[in-house]
Amino acid sequence: MTAVRARGSLRRRLLLQLLLVAAILSVALYFTVRALAQQAAETTQDNILIASATAISEAARAERGQILVDVPYSALSMLGSIAEERVFYRVTADALTVTGYDDLPAPDAATETGNPVFTTAIYRDDEVRIAALPRRLTVGDETVILTVLVAQTRLGLAAVSLQISIAAAAAGVGFFLLSGALSWFATNNAMRPLNRLAKSVERRGPQDLSPVETSAPTELVPLLQSLNTFMGRLSASLARTEDFIAEAAHHVRTPLATVRTQSEIAMRSVRKPENKQILREVIRAADESSRSAGQLLDHAMVALRSDNLEKERLNMKDLAQDVIRSISPTADMKDIRISCSGSDTTSAVEGDPILLQNALRNLLDNAVKYSPEDSRIKVEISEAASTVRVDVLDEGRGLGDGDRSHLTERFGRGDNVRDVIGSGLGLTIVDEVVRAHGGSLALTDNQESRGTCASITLPSA
């Protein structure tokens, strides 16, 4: 059960925000393009209208007190050619119609400003754009205001506006789709450093509490610093725990050694067999307690050194012989003979000598512990395919018929050895040491005779 509860998705939240921004920009793009295009179309229409009105105005003249207007054909043809629009015109002199459509409305400010004036109005059931161009004209002794009005329907402009709106909408939709695809790519790209960091932490071994050293975006630096600070505190806490266990094991072994020594002295002085048997039981209990304390110490040391192996080139046969010599006094008490075979010059590995000695010592200690008196233990060292293998074969009780997978677990023991005092840490230590060196531990039956074959395989140097 995890204490971390997922509350939303950062990727989804970022993607939705980017899509919202893209949608807003798409709508803004649609209205902007539509407004600019309509403005451009209206400006074009106004320019044509004023050009037509100018041509008509220039054709107007005064003769013998009358105003004559010859409307040029080109003045109206330029308007009529655009999408079959309808065109109207009117020429007034001081508000009196000289020629054209008499009911064509004139802008109110047409004669006041003296400049061209444009307006939009409904004329004969159609919306029209009207341009008014005033001009002063002298007729006889009087000056009149000649105003030329030119109007054009807006049906063509509406059609153009519709096409522009459709094009703007298509552009907006295309922009949104393109922005959505880019937003999805940008979101995944932004989440990539976070995913790399998560995988980097996930790949770590259970004992690896070293600081996370990786490049990361600036926004993730505080998270990395907090994570490294936490792992530093956790590592320090574990180190204090390991030190406490090691110190406790040391303080336990010292008085046990004293008890054993005093018991041996007392056993020499007593005469009654029952008293000797009691003292032998005391010595045996002291030995087992001392062995358990030693394995606790070994386990603490293995856990402490596994993350920082002090590797050097080692010859496994030399290492095995050193361990055999150290454990021989215990084996001699049960008349157990330990032999070692294998190459003297090869079978080299790259490893931590202290940890590998602990692993071999625990294997041999188990073999001696569960072997009967006057038996034999064989240590065979061999090489194959860039690996070095060490087999420890005993003639003891074997692995039993129960589940063997839990034998390497902490405090895991076989059902057939419940009557023998033990801590259940020996094989755990061996397994952790071997895995720290990139090797493996295998437990099988001794094919030569009754007993167990414990094999460790390590990469050769």
Side-chain angles (χ1 to χ4, degrees):
M1 182 177 179
T2 176
V4 180
R5 291 180 299 174
R7 186 177 181 180
S9 168
L10 189 59
R11 177 186 284 103
R12 188 185 306 117
R13 185 181 304 176
L14 181 58
L15 181 60
L16 288 177
Q17 290 179 355
L18 289 175
L19 290 177
L20 179 61
V21 172
I24 293 174
L25 292 178
S26 298
V27 173
L29 175 65
Y30 167 75
F31 284 108
T32 301
V33 171
R34 182 183 176 187
L36 291 176
Q38 286 182 339
Q39 184 179 5
E42 289 181 356
T43 301
T44 300
Q45 186 181 34
D46 289 348
N47 290 336
I48 296 175
L49 286 173
I50 199 62
S52 176
T54 300
I56 295 174
S57 179
E58 290 176 349
R61 65 186 184 279
E63 290 182 4
R64 293 187 295 272
Q66 294 184 347
I67 299 174
L68 301 178
V69 180
D70 296 330
V71 179
Y73 173 76
S74 60
L76 300 179
S77 62
M78 69 177 67
L79 294 171
S81 60
I82 302 177
E84 303 297 333
E85 296 283 8
R86 297 170 62 193
V87 180
F88 309 94
Y89 74 95
R90 178 186 178 193
V91 179
T92 64
D94 290 339
L96 297 177
T97 300
V98 177
T99 183
Y101 295 84
D102 187 52
D103 56 347
L104 184 64
D108 297 335
T111 59
E112 296 177 358
T113 61
N115 297 319
V117 177
F118 299 92
T119 187
T120 302
I122 301 297
Y123 180 67
R124 296 190 178 183
D125 298 331
D126 287 327
E127 186 181 52
V128 295
R129 182 70 171 172
I130 304 172
L133 180 63
R135 173 191 171 191
R136 290 181 182 276
L137 181 67
T138 301
V139 180
D141 297 332
E142 298 181 355
T143 300
V144 298
I145 301 298
L146 185 71
T147 302
V148 178
L149 302 176
V150 180
Q152 185 185 32
T153 57
R154 296 171 66 90
L155 299 177
L157 185 63
V160 172
S161 298
L162 179 60
Q163 294 177 356
I164 293 174
S165 299
I166 295 174
V173 172
F175 177 79
F176 177 75
L177 294 177
L178 179 61
S179 300
L182 294 177
S183 298
W184 180 82
F185 175 77
T187 301
N188 286 336
N189 191 47
M191 293 293 105
R192 196 165 297 162
L194 199 58
N195 294 333
R196 282 203 303 267
L197 176 61
K199 291 181 179 178
S200 175
V201 175
E202 187 179 355
R203 284 194 301 267
R204 288 174 163 241
Q207 304 292 334
D208 189 359
L209 297 177
S210 59
V212 178
E213 296 180 354
T214 182
S215 58
T218 306
E219 291 76 9
L220 290 180
V221 171
L223 175 62
L224 277 175
Q225 291 175 339
S226 300
L227 180 62
N228 286 337
T229 302
F230 171 75
M231 295 180 76
R233 293 200 303 267
L234 182 59
S235 179
S237 176
L238 289 177
R240 287 194 297 271
T241 302
E242 301 292 349
D243 292 341
F244 172 76
I245 294 173
E247 189 70 18
H250 172 72
H251 284 288
V252 169
R253 293 174 69 181
T254 301
L256 287 175
T258 303
V259 170
R260 190 182 194 287
T261 302
Q262 295 299 325
S263 298
E264 288 179 342
I265 295 173
M267 190 167 64
R268 297 192 190 100
S269 60
V270 298
R271 295 289 182 266
K272 295 183 177 179
E274 58 270 24
N275 292 337
K276 286 183 178 291
Q277 181 61 31
I278 292 173
L279 289 173
R280 287 194 188 93
E281 292 298 328
V282 171
I283 293 173
R284 179 173 175 270
D287 286 342
E288 293 297 338
S289 299
S290 180
R291 179 182 291 106
S292 297
Q295 288 183 327
L296 284 173
L297 178 61
D298 290 344
H299 186 262
M301 185 169 55
V302 169
L304 193 61
R305 293 174 69 98
S306 293
D307 295 334
N308 300 289
L309 295 177
E310 297 180 3
K311 290 185 176 181
E312 60 182 77
R313 187 180 177 88
L314 302 169
N315 185 290
M316 286 304 293
K317 185 173 183 181
D318 295 340
L319 199 68
Q321 288 175 335
D322 290 342
V323 176
I324 290 172
R325 280 192 291 272
S326 67
I327 207 169
S328 290
T330 305
D332 291 342
M333 293 178 65
K334 299 176 68 174
D335 293 329
I336 296 175
R337 301 179 300 282
I338 304 177
S339 61
C340 182
S341 61
S343 175
D344 293 329
T345 56
T346 57
S347 65
V349 299
E350 196 81 20
D352 189 312
I354 295 178
L355 294 188
L356 289 178
Q357 280 181 348
N358 275 333
L360 290 176
R361 185 170 60 250
N362 278 280
L363 276 184
L364 286 170
D365 184 73
N366 272 354
V368 171
K369 183 177 180 179
Y370 297 115
S371 292
E373 295 183 354
D374 194 18
S375 61
R376 186 177 57 176
I377 297 175
K378 296 168 63 176
V379 180
E380 298 178 349
I381 302 172
S382 58
E383 290 182 280
S386 70
T387 60
V388 176
R389 174 171 170 168
V390 180
D391 295 326
V392 178
L393 301 98
D394 62 44
E395 299 175 351
R397 303 186 178 190
L399 299 171
D401 298 328
D403 182 15
R404 301 178 179 182
S405 60
H406 72 282
L407 295 179
T408 56
E409 297 175 357
R410 189 178 299 181
F411 307 117
R413 306 189 66 202
D415 294 334
N416 60 333
V417 295
R418 295 294 181 187
D419 58 321
V420 181
I421 299 175
S423 65
L425 287 174
L427 292 178
T428 303
I429 294 171
V430 177
D431 184 58
E432 290 181 357
V433 169
V434 172
R435 284 194 289 111
H437 286 77
S440 61
L441 168 66
L443 299 173
T444 58
D445 294 324
N446 187 351
Q447 301 298 325
E448 298 178 358
S449 62
R450 180 187 177 190
T452 303
C453 175
S455 305
I456 60 175
T457 304
L458 299 170
S460 58

